[in-house]
Amino acid sequence: MSRARAARSPFAAVKKFVADLLLWSFFAAGLGMSAGGAGALFDGTAKTVATVAGGVVSLIAGSRIAKKPKIKAFLGRPGTLWFLFLFNGGTAAAMYFTMDGAKGIIGAACMGLVSLGALGGLVSGRRARREAAQAAAAAPQAPVSQGPWA
């Protein structure tokens, strides 16, 4: 068990749990409202406002969730980035060709931006790994000790 986790008081642990629960709840509720849940509750202008507000809430909560160390590490893995790139790119193409009007174009553009963001993560991660390998190769190697009896 790490020191930080062992040193955490029970109150701090409960506080962190409640904060995480609220953050994930806001994310899920905002996603639900922006994905069509607003239509089940509202009509007309109220439906539009609830859909947009749900999108904003889920975007803010999702960006806060993405900054957490475990989630950040997961999203930075090459396999995850490849999945996001290919899935969102395919979804953008499908949305463009299957949906009519502005909704199809806007949806495809947004999914395309997510796909390009994942591609940017792949490129920058590859560049960072290459630079780290070059720095390790250029670093002088310490002589290997033969021990006192050599």
Side-chain angles (χ1 to χ4, degrees):
M1 186 178 259
S2 69
R3 280 189 205 172
R5 187 170 273 178
R8 185 182 300 162
S9 71
F11 177 72
V14 169
K15 183 179 170 184
K16 182 184 179 319
F17 174 77
V18 170
D20 286 345
L21 183 65
L22 282 173
L23 191 61
W24 280 97
S25 297
F26 279 127
F27 176 70
L31 204 58
M33 291 302 276
S34 66
L41 300 173
F42 304 108
D43 289 328
T45 305
K47 176 182 170 184
T48 304
V49 169
T51 301
V52 171
V56 170
V57 166
S58 66
L59 182 65
I60 292 169
S63 66
R64 296 285 307 256
I65 290 169
K67 291 179 183 176
K68 295 190 174 291
K70 288 182 181 179
I71 302 293
K72 196 172 190 176
F74 173 72
L75 291 174
R77 289 180 24 204
T80 305
L81 290 171
W82 272 109
F83 171 78
L84 289 172
F85 170 64
L86 295 173
F87 178 80
N88 289 306
T91 303
M95 288 176 83
Y96 180 77
F97 289 114
T98 59
M99 295 176 72
D100 292 333
K103 285 185 180 181
I105 293 171
I106 292 170
C110 291
M111 294 300 277
L113 285 174
V114 172
S115 181
L116 289 175
L119 180 63
L122 282 168
V123 170
S124 68
R126 183 176 176 171
R127 184 177 300 140
R129 285 190 301 273
R130 186 178 59 228
E131 289 173 358
Q134 288 173 349
Q141 299 293 326
V144 177
S145 173
Q146 299 294 324
W149 51 86

